[in-house]
Amino acid sequence: MRSTEDIANSGPNAKGRSIAYKLADKQQEISVAEFFEKNKQILGFDSRSKSLLMGIKEAVDNSLDACEEAEIAPEISVRIERLDDDDYRITVDDNGPGIVHNAIKNVYGRLLYGSRFHALRQSRGQQGIGISATVMYGYLTTGKPAHVISKVSGEDEVAWEMDIVIDTKTNRPLVTNERAFTWERDHGTSIEFTIKGRYVTGKQSVFEYLKNTAIVNPHAAITFHDPDGKKWTFEKATEIIPPKPKEIKPHPEGMEIGDLIKFAHGSKQKNVRSFLKEDFSRVTSRIADDILELSGIDPKAPPQDLARDQCAAMIDAIGKVKIMAPQTDCLSPIGDTLIKKGLMHVMEGLRPDYYATPVTRPPRTANGNPFVVEAGIVYGGDIPSDGQVNILRFANRVPLLYQQGACAITKAISDMDWRRYGLEQRGGKGIPYGPAIILVHVASTKVPFTSEGKEAIASYPEILGEVSAALRLCARNLKSHLNKLERRSKTHAKFEIVQEILPDLAKKSADYLGRPLPSLERTITKIMNVVWIEPSVEKIGKNNRRYVYRIYNYTNNVRSFGLHAQVPKESVNLALFMNPSFVDLNEEGKAYWEVRGLQPSSSAIISFELSGEMADTFSQEDVYISGINPAIVMGAEPLPGDWGIKGMEITEEEEAITEEDTSEEEEEELEEEEFEKEADLNE
C-alpha cells in the first residue's frame, strides 16, 4: 500500500501536490512578540523621532494610570540623556503604588500582558502592549536591556531591581541582575531604557506631549530634563484627584454575534435568562424576558448550549428592545472647571484674551461602549493669528500628536463652518485660521483607535456627532465674546466722544450766553441709552479674587433686572457673597443677584469674593442678565435657556428689539435645537 507522500508525489498533479506539502512543512506559529518585532511600525515605532516619543509616552501613561488607581497625586519625572548621535537613555520615575516583585518581569517583559484589556472602564493603556513594546524596541535597536526598580509600600517591603529583555520567540521575559535592596522611597517605580531615536522640538516633540499631558491631567506634577540639560517643571494645578472609574459589565447594545457566542458559552449562569440579567449591564428581568420572547429562546435553556442561529436571533431582538444606556461611573471626564484650570495653568505664557467656557457633553454610547466628549477654545493674546488654529486632541487624558488628518476630531473641526463664529476659514471648510487653540477630549471604556499606535480616533458617526455638538457650543461662547467686545468697543468709543465733545460745547455755550454750566448727565443718558456693566477683578493673595460689577443706568427709565453667573462652587464662601442684591446660589454654582429700581443716571455695585485653587477659573466677563431687554445692556448676555433656572420676568415696557438684533441669534438657537434633536434621534 502506498503512503500519503508516495501518492502526493505521483500522478499528473504530483508537482503541485509536492509544493503544497513543502509549503505546509514551512508553516509555523509565531509569537505575538515576534510579530510586533517584525511589524514595529504598527505600534508607532516607524521613525526615530516618533520612537523616542512613543517610548516616553507609554512609560508616562503607565505611571499616571498606576497613581490614579491607587488614588495618589502623580509626581512624575522624565529624563533624556544623549549617549551619541541617535542613542538616548530614558528614565521615567513615579511615586505610584509600585509593582509586586513577581509581576515586574511580566509587566515589562511580555506583550499583551496586563489588567486592563478585559476591564470595561476608562484607562490610558488597554492593550497591554505599550511599555513592553518599548522594552522590546529598545533592546532591538541598541542591544541594551531595560532596567526596572519598583517598591510597594509596607514596613517590611524592599525594592527590587532587574534588567529585562523579551524573548520574542516565546513572548517571555529574560531577567538578569535581579536583586533586592533598600530604597529611600516609600513606594514607586523607575524604568530606564536605551533607545535609538531623534530628539526634536516643535508640535510632535516630547516637550509638547508632556505640556499637553499637564493640561488634561492638572492633578499631576511633571518634571522634564531634556538632553540639552534644561529642566522644565509643570506644577500640578489642583489637588483634586480624578474619581477612580468603576468597572462595568458589557452592554448588549452593538454586540457582535461572535462576542455573544463567546460570552454565552463561557458563562457560569445556569440559564439564558440569568445570563442576560447577570452577565450584562442595564438588562432587567423585564428586558431579559422581552429579548427571549422576541428571539424565541427558552429562558431555562443553558447559555452554553446556544447555537449560532439562536445567538443571531438574540442579537436581532436586542436591537428592537429599549435598553438604558450604560452607566457612566466607568468614565472619568476632566470636567469643565478643570479643563479651564489646566489650560490656564499651562497656556499662561501665551496670555490668551479669552477662555471659552469648556463644554462637557452628556454621555453617549458607541457600539455599546459609553463615551463622553469635552471641548474648550482659547482665543487671542500671543497665540499666532496668521496660521491654522492649534488643535489639541486627547483620548482618555492622553495627547494624540500624530495622524491628525485621520482623526475623527479633526474631521469634525474641518466640517464646521467657523466663519460664522468669528474665525477665518478658506472655502468654508477645513481647519480654520486665527489666534485660537481648540481642545477636544474623548473619554471612553474603549476608544476606537485606528491602530495599535493609538494616535487617531476612528470616525464613528456617534463620536463625530458629539464632537460637533461640543464644538458648536464652545464656538457660540467664543462668538458671543467677540460680539460683546465689538459692541463694547463701539459703545465705548461713542461714550468717549460724547464725554469729550458735549462738555466742551456746553462750556462754550454757557460762556457765550453768560449762564451757569448745565448738568449733562441726563443728556448723556439720552444719547447713550444703555445699561453699562463694567467688570473688574482684584487679586487678593495667591488664591483669592474679588470681582466687582459696576452697573450704570444710561437710559431714561428706572431699571430692574437679574444678574447671573456660574462660579466654581468649591471656591465660594457665602460670607463673602452677602451683597445686598444677592439672592441665591444653587448646587451647580449658579449665582443670582437682583438689581431693583436703578434710577436713570445712577449706578449700583455687585461684588463677591472667590477663594481657593479654582478661584481664577471664573471669568469676570461670563455674566448673564434676565428681566430686561438685552439689546440695551452692554457687558452681559441674555440668560441661556439651557441653564434650567428662571430669571426675572420683564415687568416694564421695553423698547422693541429689532429684527436685525435678534434674527441671527434666533437662527443659531433653532439650528442648535435641530442639531440636538438629530443627535437624540441617532442615540
Side-chain angles (χ1 to χ4, degrees):
M1 188 174 179
R2 292 189 300 170
S3 66
T4 304
E5 187 176 352
D6 291 336
I7 296 172
N9 292 322
S10 64
N13 298 318
K15 185 177 180 182
R17 289 195 187 100
S18 64
I19 292 174
Y21 277 86
K22 288 178 181 178
L23 291 173
D25 290 338
K26 294 180 180 179
Q27 293 172 350
Q28 57 182 311
E29 182 184 4
I30 64 170
S31 76
V32 62
E34 193 172 6
F35 171 80
F36 282 119
E37 179 187 33
K38 298 183 182 299
N39 298 277
K40 51 189 177 292
Q41 73 281 354
I42 297 176
L43 301 175
F45 299 99
D46 52 0
S47 70
R48 289 286 193 246
S49 58
K50 190 176 176 183
S51 297
L52 182 69
L53 173 61
M54 291 298 295
I56 293 171
K57 172 183 173 297
E58 298 297 349
V60 171
D61 287 355
N62 270 26
S63 294
L64 288 169
D65 269 338
C67 288
E68 289 170 9
E69 284 192 25
E71 299 180 326
I72 297 171
E75 296 177 5
I76 299 171
S77 171
V78 178
R79 184 182 295 274
I80 303 177
E81 300 171 86
R82 187 182 286 108
L83 302 181
D84 54 38
D85 289 341
D86 56 0
D87 277 15
Y88 292 85
R89 180 165 56 230
I90 313 297
T91 307
V92 178
D93 295 325
D94 67 54
N95 64 328
I99 306 168
V100 296
H101 172 221
N102 292 333
I104 296 174
K105 61 184 179 182
N106 288 320
V107 168
Y108 293 95
R110 289 180 67 180
L111 271 71
L112 296 180
Y113 181 89
S115 60
R116 306 186 190 107
F117 186 80
H118 296 289
L120 286 179
R121 59 185 173 92
Q122 179 182 328
S123 67
R124 294 171 181 82
Q126 289 184 323
Q127 293 135 323
I129 293 176
I131 193 61
S132 51
T134 299
V135 171
M136 180 187 71
Y137 183 78
Y139 183 73
L140 181 67
T141 57
T142 68
K144 297 180 180 179
H147 184 71
V148 180
I149 304 174
S150 193
K151 180 185 177 184
V152 300
S153 60
E155 293 183 1
D156 300 328
E157 296 290 348
V158 296
W160 286 89
E161 68 175 341
M162 61 190 74
D163 293 333
I164 302 174
V165 300
I166 299 178
D167 183 351
T168 55
K169 292 289 185 182
T170 62
N171 189 32
R172 291 293 186 273
L174 298 176
V175 176
T176 56
N177 301 322
E178 182 178 7
R179 75 179 184 98
F181 70 103
T182 302
W183 207 17
E184 66 276 8
R185 302 184 193 177
D186 293 330
H187 50 81
T189 299
S190 174
I191 178 171
E192 178 189 291
F193 57 92
T194 307
I195 195 170
K196 287 280 185 190
R198 184 165 67 92
Y199 183 77
V200 298
T201 58
K203 286 187 176 181
Q204 296 176 333
S205 64
V206 174
F207 175 81
E208 284 297 310
Y209 159 72
L210 293 175
K211 182 182 76 173
N212 292 348
T213 298
I215 291 174
V216 292
N217 298 276
H219 60 293
I222 302 173
T223 304
F224 174 44
H225 301 264
D226 74 12
D228 299 322
K230 295 180 180 177
K231 179 181 178 181
W232 309 86
T233 301
F234 302 98
E235 299 285 354
K236 59 183 174 183
T238 177
E239 298 292 335
I240 302 173
I241 301 174
K244 186 178 177 181
K246 297 179 181 178
E247 187 174 347
I248 64 170
K249 296 176 182 178
H251 192 276
E253 181 184 314
M255 181 162 286
E256 303 288 351
I257 186 172
D259 288 331
L260 184 59
I261 293 172
K262 180 182 68 176
F263 277 120
H265 291 182
S267 177
K268 296 180 180 179
Q269 305 300 326
K270 294 181 179 180
N271 58 70
V272 180
R273 190 173 186 270
S274 297
F275 163 64
L276 289 173
K277 282 179 56 184
E278 303 300 330
D279 290 3
F280 294 94
S281 64
R282 300 301 202 190
V283 178
T284 62
S285 298
R286 181 188 60 80
I287 292 173
D289 291 338
D290 289 346
I291 293 172
L292 294 172
E293 183 179 352
L294 287 171
S295 58
I297 298 174
D298 182 1
K300 297 180 180 180
Q304 300 81 4
D305 296 340
L306 288 178
R308 181 198 168 281
D309 58 339
Q310 289 177 304
C311 290
M314 192 178 292
I315 291 287
D316 185 62
I318 289 170
K320 297 176 180 178
V321 176
K322 182 65 176 177
I323 305 175
M324 287 181 64
Q327 62 265 41
T328 55
D329 52 2
C330 56
L331 302 177
S332 179
I334 305 165
D336 306 357
T337 304
L338 287 178
I339 287 176
K340 188 172 183 178
K341 184 71 175 178
L343 284 168
M344 293 177 70
H345 191 65
V346 177
M347 299 294 177
E348 188 178 6
L350 294 174
R351 296 178 294 180
D353 295 330
Y354 181 66
Y355 294 85
T357 304
V359 171
T360 299
R361 292 284 298 165
R364 301 282 188 181
T365 60
N367 286 350
N369 296 298
F371 73 94
V372 168
V373 171
E374 303 177 289
I377 297 178
V378 179
Y379 184 87
D382 294 336
I383 300 173
S385 60
D386 55 351
Q388 291 181 328
V389 302
N390 187 14
I391 300 174
L392 303 181
R393 300 174 296 126
F394 301 90
N396 288 351
R397 297 177 182 261
V398 177
L400 308 177
L401 299 186
Y402 288 89
Q403 296 188 14
Q404 178 173 292
C407 187
I409 293 172
T410 308
K411 177 173 173 55
I413 292 172
S414 300
D415 287 347
M416 275 184 62
D417 185 359
W418 289 92
R419 296 172 299 180
R420 65 184 305 167
Y421 300 110
L423 294 178
E424 180 187 355
Q425 192 176 31
R426 298 163 190 178
K429 199 169 184 179
I431 298 173
Y433 289 73
I437 298 169
I438 300 175
L439 179 151
V440 178
H441 174 232
V442 178
S444 178
T445 57
K446 187 178 180 181
V447 178
F449 293 111
T450 57
S451 70
E452 281 75 8
K454 299 181 289 186
E455 297 160 346
I457 300 172
S459 296
Y460 284 22
E462 300 90 342
I463 294 177
L464 282 172
E466 284 302 299
V467 173
S468 297
L471 289 172
R472 286 164 64 93
L473 291 171
C474 278
R476 287 186 66 183
N477 292 335
L478 173 62
K479 184 183 179 182
S480 175
H481 169 73
L482 296 176
N483 288 345
K484 190 187 302 181
L485 286 182
E486 185 178 4
R487 288 178 61 206
R488 184 183 289 272
S489 177
K490 290 179 179 178
T491 305
H492 194 72
K494 177 182 176 182
F495 195 45
E496 286 184 343
I497 292 171
V498 169
Q499 283 187 314
E500 289 177 7
I501 294 176
L502 277 185
D504 190 45
L505 286 175
K507 186 177 184 305
K508 289 182 178 179
S509 299
D511 291 344
Y512 181 77
L513 298 172
R515 294 183 177 181
L517 188 67
S519 175
L520 299 176
E521 287 184 352
R522 288 191 174 275
T523 305
I524 293 174
T525 292
K526 190 171 182 179
I527 294 173
M528 296 302 299
N529 194 36
V530 295
V531 174
W532 185 281
I533 301 176
E534 186 71 38
S536 63
V537 59
E538 179 185 358
K539 187 175 181 181
I540 308 171
K542 183 179 179 181
N543 290 322
N544 285 58
R545 302 288 189 277
R546 184 170 186 262
Y547 297 90
V548 179
Y549 295 89
R550 291 178 172 83
I551 304 167
Y552 303 91
N553 183 8
Y554 294 122
T555 74
N556 290 318
N557 296 340
V558 178
R559 300 294 176 180
S560 298
F561 56 90
L563 189 74
H564 308 262
Q566 183 158 9
V567 299
K569 187 70 181 295
E570 58 270 34
S571 297
V572 172
N573 180 350
L574 284 177
L576 305 176
F577 259 64
M578 291 301 127
N579 184 280
S581 301
F582 178 68
V583 178
D584 185 40
L585 177 73
N586 70 10
E587 294 181 355
E588 297 177 355
K590 293 172 179 175
Y592 179 29
W593 299 263
E594 286 185 356
V595 178
R596 292 192 175 274
L598 186 61
Q599 297 293 324
S601 304
S602 64
S603 63
I605 292 179
I606 289 176
S607 66
F608 59 91
E609 291 184 23
L610 298 175
S611 60
E613 63 181 38
M614 296 299 166
D616 60 349
T617 62
F618 175 69
S619 174
Q620 67 267 25
E621 295 184 352
D622 289 340
V623 291
Y624 307 92
I625 43 93
S626 64
I628 190 172
N629 183 344
I632 63 170
V633 178
M634 188 62 57
E637 298 298 310
L639 181 67
D642 60 1
W643 268 40
I645 61 174
K646 189 176 182 181
M648 285 185 65
E649 299 287 347
I650 296 178
T651 56
E652 59 190 40
E653 186 177 343
E654 297 283 3
E655 298 89 345
I657 304 174
T658 65
E659 184 177 347
E660 183 182 355
D661 291 330
T662 61
S663 58
E664 188 176 358
E665 184 178 343
E666 289 177 351
E667 181 184 344
E668 285 187 10
E669 288 179 355
L670 288 171
E671 285 188 4
E672 194 65 42
E673 289 176 5
E674 290 298 319
F675 191 89
E676 293 292 336
K677 288 179 182 177
E678 184 179 345
D680 290 340
L681 287 172
N682 289 336
E683 176 61 20

